[in-house]
């Protein structure tokens, strides 16, 4: 897999506007932030280039860690969530 993108609000129950982008190291040079700022000059490491993207609301981004903790601590973790969703799909298929 070269890229993985997900909507945080739909799949992680985090605020609208949150999300995740993962890129394999071999293809990271294909991606550049859509906002040019003094914080992501040419040569800036991949992750750092995406940290500061102007004066936008960082609340949804900051909430992703809490969403991950909620899924792990309150919902039992990814394995339990996946198992439950599979059970629901199996039940619905009957």
């Amino acid at each position: 897999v070269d890229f993985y993108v997900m909507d945080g609000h739909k799949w992680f129950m985090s605020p609208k506007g949150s999300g995740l982008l993962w890129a394999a190291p071999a293809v990271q040079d294909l991606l550049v932030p859509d906002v040019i700022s003094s914080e992501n000059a040419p040569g800036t490491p991949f992750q750092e280039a995406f940290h500061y993207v102007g004066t936008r609301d960082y609340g949804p981004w900051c909430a992703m860690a809490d969403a991950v903790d909620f899924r792990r601590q309150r919902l039992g973790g990814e394995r339990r969530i996946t198992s439950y969703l599979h059970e629901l799909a199996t039940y619905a298929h009957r």
Side-chain angles (χ1 to χ4, degrees):
V1 173
D2 292 329
F3 302 99
Y4 183 80
V5 180
M6 74 158 214
D7 179 347
H9 123 257
K10 183 171 185 178
W11 300 109
F12 262 44
M13 296 174 282
S14 59
K16 289 183 180 181
S18 62
L20 177 125
L21 164 66
W22 179 88
V27 296
Q28 289 178 356
D29 61 336
L30 298 174
L31 299 172
V32 293
D34 63 348
V35 175
I36 298 171
S37 79
S38 60
E39 297 293 321
N40 60 11
T44 302
F46 180 73
Q47 291 177 336
E48 290 179 27
F50 288 86
H51 277 187
Y52 179 77
V53 289
T55 57
R56 66 175 10 155
D57 178 11
Y58 287 91
W61 183 30
C62 294
M64 285 292 286
D66 289 332
V68 172
D69 289 343
F70 174 78
R71 292 172 67 88
R72 184 177 55 247
Q73 295 170 4
R74 300 290 185 180
L75 301 180
E78 298 305 311
R79 186 167 297 187
R80 183 169 180 218
I81 294 168
T82 302
S83 175
Y84 176 71
L85 293 173
H86 182 266
E87 289 173 20
L88 284 177
T90 302
Y91 176 78
H93 185 263
R94 292 182 198 163

